[in-house]
Amino acid sequence: TAVSRAMALGLSPGLSVAVYSRDGVYARGFGVTDVSTGERVDADTAFYIASSTKPLTALALATLDQRGALNLDDTLAAYAPEAAFPAITRPGEVRLRNLLSHTGGIANDPIGYRVAFTGQHDPETLWRLLAASGVNEEAPLGTFDYTNVGYNIATVLTDRRVGMTWQDLLQSEVFDPVGMTRTSARMSRAAGWSVARPHILTPQSTLERIYLEKTDQTMQSAGGVIMSANDAARWLELMVEDGRVGGRQIIAPEVIATTRAPLAAVGIEQEGYQRESYGLGWHMGPYRDDRLYHHFGGFAGFAAHVSCIPARGVGVAVFNNNNVVGTNVTHALANYVYDRTGGYADAEVRFTTALDEAAALRDRIAERIATDRATRAARPWTLTRPRA
């Protein structure tokens, strides 16, 4: 099979693959969650999906907007007049919808680092740090610049105003209604679950587990969800079928349409995909003869690909617990599904080429890692205490 060929490259300790189509659903795990234990990945194994979280967060907030619990067209000043945004950030002009479409023109490294990396935060600290917001000098209000900060600021505001954390909001508005039982925005909820662990490539082109792991404190609204293949299939069905799962309307079709409405011009190619515009959590652009909605995720030890072609009734999710070169494998498998289901005669050739390129990249990266480690080892030790 295609996945077996991809796994044979040794680039992925484990893979989780979900395909939704109107002809059938496929969800399966491959490889291991952890090379040190050999625990097998299955369709219920949860993988960290990093920035593929954004469409989930945006959908939850769009649902509240449709219900009238908030208005995404409110300015920050109107929605949270007590928030201490500096005047230079133009809180009277920036709207919640800008924050979710990466066009808010606001920078805030203190919040971004705390929620994603150090974990040193609580609601009051984050609220206070809104005052540390500044202007994104490279992308003023109305200009697209992909960051986490818009989502982070949006949920600092909604956590307080809605009276529910973004984690609980995702649980109540998306995960529970859709029937996603092995998906969570809290690592603590996954106690007892099969959970994929992060890995990295070594100079010997092998894979080893790394120490860096996500905790509740570093799961954040722009990149803070773990998800299984079985649940990914349901998430894809929801998006492909305009809010329906199993024939039942879970989320209003107009809400799904809202998330797909272009809000920002992007106009770049990234990771081999054309990105013309961005909506509420989704990149949009052509894939061969179709329109692809997609969002990828990457973090130390993890790579995620989530995408769909609603017009064709197909969606694909591929999760990988190695982001070094593993990202290439996730995309290669997703593209292969679209090429095969689209009836393209070059599907096999394109897939083989992608795997060959990934293998060559693996060798180049392994060589660079070995060179870097040798260079570090040769440096004189100048600290007064021993290396140990």
Side-chain angles (χ1 to χ4, degrees), residues 101-116:
S101 59
H102 307 290
T103 58
I106 297 178
N108 192 312
D109 286 344
I111 288 179
Y113 280 116
R114 285 172 181 258
V115 298

Side-chain angles (χ1 to χ4, degrees), residues 119-132:
Q120 295 174 319
H121 62 85
D122 54 44
E124 289 307 314
T125 298
L126 296 179
W127 187 261
R128 175 176 55 82
L129 285 172
L130 293 174

Side-chain angles (χ1 to χ4, degrees), residues 6 26 113 142 147 182 238 247 252 267 294 297 310 316 325:
Y26 178 92
Y113 280 116
T147 70
R182 285 296 182 270
L238 183 83
H294 62 282
V316 184
V325 191

Side-chain angles (χ1 to χ4, degrees), residues 262 276-277 284-287 289-293 308-311:
E276 294 177 342
S277 55
M284 308 166 210
Y287 181 85
D289 298 320
D290 294 294
R291 187 157 187 79
L292 184 76
Y293 297 83
C308 61
I309 300 177

Side-chain angles (χ1 to χ4, degrees), residues 143-205:
T143 305
F144 180 85
D145 185 35
Y146 181 84
T147 70
N148 286 343
V149 71
Y151 280 70
N152 296 154
I153 290 176
T155 52
V156 169
L157 300 179
T158 59
D159 281 3
R160 177 169 291 214
R161 291 297 306 274
V162 176
M164 179 184 293
T165 66
W166 68 269
Q167 295 98 324
D168 290 338
L169 187 64
L170 289 184
Q171 192 70 44
S172 64
E173 297 295 335
V174 183
F175 305 155
D176 287 344
V178 177
M180 301 165 74
T181 60
R182 285 296 182 270
T183 298
S184 180
R186 288 190 174 92
M187 293 303 301
S188 58
R189 192 167 187 269
W193 293 7
S194 170
V195 178
R197 305 302 176 182
H199 294 73
I200 196 168
L201 191 69
T202 72
Q204 295 75 37
S205 292

Side-chain angles (χ1 to χ4, degrees), residues 326-344:
T327 299
N328 301 58
V329 173
T330 65
H331 296 330
L333 286 167
N335 293 347
Y336 183 64
V337 172
Y338 289 127
D339 291 347
R340 282 289 302 274
T341 58
Y344 291 100

Side-chain angles (χ1 to χ4, degrees), residues 1 39 96 100 138 277 355 369 374:
T1 66
E39 178 195 359
L96 294 175
L100 301 180
E138 297 180 358
S277 55
L355 293 186
I369 294 172

